[in-house]
Amino acid sequence: MIGGTFTTGHPPLPVDATVTPMPFLLAIVTLLSALLVNLIRQRLRAQLLDVPNHRSSHTVPTPRGGGLGFLLAFGVALPFLLWLRPDTQPMTLAQVVGVLFPLALIGYLDDLQSLPARTRYGVQLLSAGLAVYCFGPFPQPWFSSLGWMGGILTLGLTLIGFTAIVNLTNFMDGLDGLVGGVSLVQLAFLAWYLPQPMWSLLAAALAGFLWWNWPPAKIFMGDVGSTTLGGAMALALIMAPSQQWTLLALTLPITGDAIYTLFRRLFRGENLFKAHRTHLYQRLHQRGLPAIAITLAYMGLTGIIALALATLGALGAWLSLGGTLILIALAEGYLQGWIPNRRSEPF
């Protein structure tokens, strides 16, 4: 969106070569993802079973690792873009896979057997470095006057930002359908707005996964899914041809809750490296709000932010930030009892 005019960044393609087959491909990806996730649910249940503990939002042992299913569907579908969208560069697809594959691999290994945090973060830095090498750093023009020092600062902050989005997304994956639903809205919007049609394939794959992950979930995405989705979101922002800082507002439903929780725990003197169950969405669920209502609320907020960005640009980003802060305050007020709770008993 430049000067009020939406530009696609590439010449229009023949309708019979792109527009018509694409919905069929998306439908096939959704179906393939649902089938693969169900296969993982049945065949790998014993190896990837998530047994509830005192921090869990679920009460029944549930398999994790479903993210492997929607990522496989996404990977299988990517080459078809070369046929459906002749403007797609094979090298770009290869680079996207190269950036996301380490995150998927380390996430899957972590789902099988918990890995040290240092190992996981090292791989996340590797993926972030590959993203910068392939597509450049996140734009920070205020450092341009500092010469080589500015370049180092830009690189460092990009690496930190990339891994932050990966980890914050992973932290938020604790309620049925939440991260999958929010990521679907984010990626579908970016696929249309930027446009980067590859993300529509990942959104379609998520739709198939959500068939099994929608409350009450029959399988979780696991770290293989959540860390890769965080990486995909960070990568999509880096790859955006413009307005990267404006589009960053699209992450607010995830990053807003996660960052607020980090600061709240810091002010309360809690150990930031100790596992917990105090994210806003978790506390709202503990208070009695059903998982499906919370998930729909986070998805709805993401959709509203997307609409604001599409219509108002940078102003929409600032309004989204203000609105998110107000919602966080209202949620905290509800949890603290400052806002009357008419519910007599939890769900």
Side-chain angles (χ1 to χ4, degrees):
M1 187 79 66
I2 301 175
T5 302
F6 179 77
T7 58
T8 63
H10 56 74
L13 298 170
V15 173
D16 60 350
T18 58
V19 177
T20 304
M22 196 66 182
F24 291 101
L25 177 60
L26 295 177
I28 291 172
V29 172
T30 301
L31 178 60
L32 177 61
S33 174
L35 292 174
L36 289 172
V37 170
N38 188 42
L39 183 64
I40 292 169
R41 185 176 72 92
Q42 294 176 340
R43 299 296 176 87
L44 299 179
R45 182 182 184 90
Q47 298 94 321
L48 296 170
L49 193 63
D50 192 324
V51 179
N53 56 43
H54 66 283
R55 293 184 292 103
S56 302
S57 296
H58 62 292
T59 57
V60 178
T62 305
R64 60 180 179 271
L68 180 62
F70 68 71
L71 291 176
L72 286 174
F74 172 60
V76 168
L78 275 178
F80 288 92
L81 278 182
L82 301 175
W83 169 55
L84 294 179
R85 298 296 299 256
D87 59 329
T88 301
Q89 297 297 320
M91 181 57 70
T92 299
L93 298 185
Q95 290 170 331
V96 168
V97 172
V99 171
L100 298 182
F101 179 76
L103 294 174
L105 178 60
I106 198 67
Y108 180 68
L109 293 176
D110 192 49
D111 285 333
L112 288 174
Q113 184 175 1
S114 183
L115 299 175
R118 183 177 300 180
T119 301
R120 299 197 306 269
Y121 193 71
V123 174
Q124 293 167 14
L125 281 175
L126 171 64
S127 286
L130 289 172
V132 173
Y133 177 78
C134 294
F135 303 105
F138 199 80
Q140 296 158 74
W142 41 85
F143 290 141
S144 58
S145 62
L146 300 179
W148 64 269
M149 181 60 72
I152 292 177
L153 290 172
T154 298
L155 172 62
L157 290 175
T158 300
L159 297 179
I160 292 172
F162 186 102
T163 57
I165 292 177
V166 169
N167 283 291
L168 295 180
T169 303
N170 184 39
F171 295 162
M172 290 290 290
D173 184 32
L175 193 68
D176 299 350
L178 195 152
V179 166
V182 168
S183 296
L184 187 155
V185 178
Q186 291 172 332
L187 293 167
F189 171 73
L190 291 175
W192 166 76
Y193 185 75
L194 290 177
Q196 293 176 356
M198 73 183 78
W199 303 125
S200 66
L201 299 178
L202 185 51
L206 277 170
F209 166 74
L210 284 172
W211 176 263
W212 301 105
N213 184 242
W214 197 251
K218 299 175 181 63
I219 189 171
F220 303 139
M221 68 172 65
D223 283 2
V224 62
S226 60
T227 57
T228 309
L229 285 177
M233 187 62 194
L235 181 59
L237 293 174
I238 289 176
M239 293 175 63
S242 62
Q243 303 183 80
Q244 290 95 333
W245 283 99
T246 295
L247 292 171
L248 191 60
L250 199 61
T251 69
L252 283 171
I254 295 292
T255 58
D257 185 329
I259 293 173
Y260 170 72
T261 300
L262 285 173
F263 276 103
R264 179 176 177 272
R265 296 186 69 216
L266 179 65
F267 292 146
R268 289 165 61 92
E270 299 177 16
N271 183 355
L272 297 183
F273 298 98
K274 184 179 179 180
H276 65 97
R277 195 185 172 194
T278 57
H279 284 285
L280 272 177
Y281 74 89
Q282 292 171 318
R283 295 164 62 207
L284 289 169
H285 187 50
Q286 295 162 22
R287 186 63 178 267
L289 293 182
I292 191 169
I294 298 171
T295 293
L296 287 173
Y298 277 70
M299 291 178 66
L301 175 59
T302 308
I304 292 171
I305 291 174
L307 180 62
L309 297 179
T311 55
L312 301 174
L315 176 59
W318 285 108
L319 291 174
S320 297
L321 175 60
T324 300
L325 292 175
I326 290 172
L327 289 174
I328 289 174
L330 290 174
E332 187 62 48
Y334 170 78
L335 291 166
Q336 296 296 335
W338 303 331
I339 299 176
N341 177 14
R342 298 180 182 275
R343 310 192 74 87
S344 58
E345 53 183 283
F347 280 76

